[in-house]
Amino acid sequence: MISKKIEAALNEQIALEAYASFLYLAMASWCDREGLEGCAQFMHRQSDEERAHMLRIYGYLSETDGFALTPAIAQAPHEFESVQVMFEKVYAHEQKVTQSINDLVNLSYAEKDPSTLNFLQWYVAEQREEEALMRTILNKIRLIGDGPQSLYYIDKEVDKFNKAALAAEATEEEQ
Ligand code: OFO
């Protein structure tokens, strides 16, 4: 059983995760059109992850006798000035999500809700990882430069993260 306040805040988080999923899907489509195959795959993966983050909250609300509300999604941007600008937007969005998770943690303390506090720990760790990943990619793009001659290399660099994620999944499946 969770309080109405916590239920409402978790539903806001559902909306934020859903928006992230659609934002990253729009980015995947843009990358695909621009011929950035590695970046497109990366953004598809991120989009799927955000949907999984959203569904995790559905599960928690169901487990705690709360009610998950399926959100309306605002139109995400379709066009991006450059691949660097796109990743800057990703990083900014992840920082916004981190702030929202931190607010939820503080609300759970205020509401004396150890179960939600415990549930949120997974998100705290996930956001730390996601922010670090996006910062790493942005730093690489800044080093390479995102002029037309650099796009091929940027795409290859981002594709290394896809390959690393696939390898990690394969190892997990083996265990
Ligand atoms: Fe779910 O917001 Fe990023 O990871």
Side-chain angles (χ1 to χ4, degrees):
M1 182 78 190
I2 50 168
S3 73
K4 285 288 158 200
K5 249 190 188 173
I6 295 278
E7 182 188 63
L10 285 171
N11 271 309
E12 277 175 32
Q13 191 63 34
I14 282 180
L16 204 54
E17 304 287 350
Y19 178 75
S21 179
F22 273 66
L23 174 64
Y24 298 164
L25 191 59
M27 289 173 170
S29 177
W30 181 83
C31 292
D32 192 40
R33 191 193 66 195
E34 299 297 309
L36 298 163
E37 248 175 81
C39 291
Q41 250 186 53
F42 180 85
M43 295 316 306
H44 270 296
R45 175 181 292 278
Q46 291 305 120
S47 174
D48 288 349
E49 275 193 19
E50 297 302 343
R51 179 178 148 79
H53 298 172
M54 177 191 79
L55 292 179
R56 217 178 164 104
I57 307 175
Y58 273 67
Y60 179 70
L61 282 170
S62 151
E63 207 183 347
T64 53
D65 201 22
F67 187 41
L69 302 176
T70 305
I73 315 285
Q75 179 66 62
H78 289 300
E79 297 290 347
F80 305 94
E81 221 173 282
S82 69
V83 72
Q84 180 169 334
V85 168
M86 186 194 79
F87 273 104
E88 276 164 1
K89 283 191 191 304
V90 174
Y91 186 44
H93 191 76
E94 289 300 330
Q95 286 177 310
K96 184 176 168 183
V97 173
T98 301
Q99 187 54 55
S100 171
I101 294 292
N102 291 347
D103 291 346
L104 262 167
V105 167
N106 291 334
L107 181 68
S108 307
Y109 269 116
E111 290 285 294
K112 299 184 172 58
D113 181 345
S115 165
T116 302
L117 214 43
N118 174 263
F119 169 70
L120 290 170
Q121 293 318 299
W122 183 90
Y123 287 85
V124 171
E126 175 70 14
Q127 283 311 120
R128 189 171 57 236
E129 277 175 28
E130 291 285 288
E131 277 199 33
L133 173 64
M134 298 313 166
R135 224 174 22 248
T136 304
I137 293 177
L138 261 180
N139 286 340
K140 278 191 193 295
I141 295 175
R142 285 184 187 129
L143 277 176
I144 300 171
D146 79 340
Q149 308 300 327
S150 312
L151 292 177
Y152 178 79
Y153 295 104
I154 291 175
D155 201 49
K156 287 276 162 243
E157 283 300 315
V158 173
D159 199 39
K160 285 184 190 165
F161 293 99
N162 297 329
K163 296 206 164 73
L166 281 175
E169 274 169 23
T171 315
E172 259 172 46
E173 272 168 28
E174 275 169 24
Q175 285 165 358

